[in-house]
Amino acid sequence: MRPVFVRLKMSQKECKRLMDENDKLKKAAEDARGKPEEATQDEDKLINEDTLNEDLKEMREALDEKSKELSERTEELEKTKKDLAALKEQAAGLTREYDRLLEEHSKAQAQLEKDETQTGGEKKSN
């Protein structure tokens, strides 16, 4: 379970880094708009910005996918915990029933021995 959280955290950091880089590029593009000698650089930055936006979009999609996967795994974990609790309860019930039957058997054995002793004693006196 931990690796999912680690990957999610790494995806969040990468997303944050790309967003910061995107902001820097936007600011640089705004600063360079008034300077004709840097027009080529501005175009390169805009192309780079588009690439970064695509990367950012992919990272967000990956983050959404991982979040969905995390939710599904969390639901599976909760279901498994409930199943385990039910099995423990069932095992406890079976143990109680076994103990009851063992006690009942013990009483029946004692009664049988008592009956045999009484029957055997009556046969000897006759």
Side-chain angles (χ1 to χ4, degrees), residues 41-85:
Q41 288 179 349
D42 288 344
E43 290 174 10
D44 291 342
K45 287 180 182 179
L46 289 175
I47 291 171
N48 193 18
E49 184 178 324
D50 289 340
T51 304
L52 286 175
N53 283 335
E54 289 174 15
D55 290 345
L56 181 60
K57 182 180 177 183
E58 289 173 11
M59 292 298 289
R60 284 185 177 151
E61 289 172 358
L63 179 61
D64 290 342
E65 189 176 308
K66 295 296 180 186
S67 295
K68 185 177 180 179
E69 183 180 333
L70 177 61
S71 296
E72 290 171 358
R73 297 252 171 117
T74 302
E75 288 174 13
E76 287 177 26
L77 178 62
E78 291 303 316
K79 183 182 181 299
T80 303
K81 284 181 179 180
K82 287 178 183 178
D83 291 345
L84 178 61

